[in-house]
Amino acid sequence: MLLHRRSTRTVTLAALALACGGDDSTSPVTYEPDIPTEWATAVTNPLFPLAPGTVWQYQAETGEGLETTRTEVLSETRIISGVTATVVHDQVSLDGVLAEDTFDWYAQDGDGNVWYLGEDSKEIEDGHVVSTEGSWEWGVDGALPGVIMWADPATHMNEEYRQEYLKGVAEDMAKVVALDESVEVPAGSYSGCLKTEEHTPLESNSTEFKYYCDGVGTVLETSASGGQRDELQGVTGP
């Protein structure tokens, strides 16, 4: 998902932090997320709102050409490990040609944290699916969910946490690094935005920064080098 958030709980959220040493994905990993006992009926976290019918459009100049991304929250849901998940359809095109087609699954717990429950990802070439690498689903082959957005990010400053987990397949990590960023993109100017630093140990040079703004969600993604910007062009819907 590196383009990709509670009130009764029986245990603390602290165990969601990375509990393994180093970035080597071949090292033994202990990851035992505290699964919520209560789930909300919709994803309403203001930094990661997923109202059905909402569509975000993004654009980035890359070394391979113009990359455009269309992200839509669908009205359909999916049951994953007994939890009703919101379905988000993400399509990435390169110079107008579809290159990736992904369905992501999210759910919000009773405290307002948004969890990432899996994805069905397809890489496309010449109109044909050539890879489903990166696909995973909570409960299948030992895959576990992670947090995409905290209900209160300020309480997790500089704390590294998992956004997903299937060993060797889905190991995205993140940490909150700023709480009051100003961002300007074609869709508009935003203030008071959350900034995260995200990476996966499965890929070298994968570090990027994401900016999440109140009532909108993701508005900007930049590479650690600053050489690439994936900017929100516009958002429509409820």
Side-chain angles (χ1 to χ4, degrees), residues 20-29 162 165 167-169 171 201-202:
C20 61
D23 285 347
D24 185 358
S25 64
T26 64
S27 299
V29 171
R162 290 193 180 275
Y165 186 69
K167 186 174 175 60
V169 175
E171 298 189 25
L202 302 178

Side-chain angles (χ1 to χ4, degrees), residues 1-232:
M1 190 213 58
L2 275 177
L3 191 125
H4 290 195
R5 209 156 221 338
R6 291 184 218 219
S7 354
T8 301
R9 295 292 302 280
T10 58
V11 283
T12 67
L13 286 165
L16 279 168
L18 177 63
C20 61
D23 285 347
D24 185 358
S25 64
T26 64
S27 299
V29 171
T30 299
Y31 176 57
E32 299 178 351
D34 297 327
I35 303 301
T37 58
E38 292 187 1
W39 296 90
T41 57
V43 179
T44 59
N45 185 307
L47 292 170
F48 202 84
L50 298 179
T54 306
V55 177
W56 296 264
Q57 301 277 0
Y58 301 91
Q59 186 170 291
E61 291 286 352
T62 75
E64 298 179 330
L66 179 63
E67 182 179 275
T68 56
T69 302
R70 183 182 189 275
T71 300
E72 179 180 6
V73 183
L74 305 183
S75 58
E76 67 186 71
T77 59
R78 180 184 178 94
I79 304 299
I80 299 176
S81 292
V83 176
T84 301
T86 296
V87 180
V88 176
H89 189 200
D90 196 67
Q91 293 179 300
V92 180
S93 298
L94 188 62
D95 290 333
V97 179
L98 185 64
E100 295 178 25
D101 194 13
T102 302
F103 291 91
D104 294 300
W105 308 310
Y106 303 96
Q108 182 170 301
D109 67 27
D111 287 341
N113 305 290
V114 184
W115 292 69
Y116 188 34
L117 309 187
E119 65 177 280
D120 176 12
S121 181
K122 297 179 177 64
E123 183 179 343
I124 298 171
E125 291 182 6
D126 299 323
H128 301 285
V129 176
V130 296
S131 175
T132 59
E133 182 179 359
S135 297
W136 65 282
E137 182 176 340
W138 175 20
V140 178
D141 297 326
L144 291 166
V147 169
I148 280 293
M149 182 56 64
W150 298 107
D152 186 2
T155 63
H156 299 278
M157 279 290 295
N158 296 311
E159 171 191 302
E160 194 166 41
Y161 55 93
R162 290 193 180 275
Q163 297 178 309
E164 58 181 6
Y165 186 69
L166 176 57
K167 186 174 175 60
V169 175
E171 298 189 25
D172 287 3
M173 311 286 299
K175 63 180 176 181
V176 176
V177 295
L179 300 169
D180 192 18
E181 294 286 299
S182 294
V183 182
E184 186 170 344
V185 293
S189 297
Y190 304 90
S191 59
C193 300
L194 172 71
K195 179 181 179 181
T196 62
E197 179 183 313
E198 306 185 10
H199 77 282
T200 173
L202 302 178
E203 299 177 17
S204 60
N205 302 317
S206 65
T207 300
E208 64 183 13
F209 298 101
K210 292 186 180 181
Y211 298 79
Y212 302 86
C213 301
D214 189 61
V216 182
T218 310
V219 301
L220 175 65
E221 299 179 19
T222 66
S223 60
S225 65
Q228 183 171 316
R229 290 171 59 91
D230 197 349
E231 301 177 318
L232 179 66

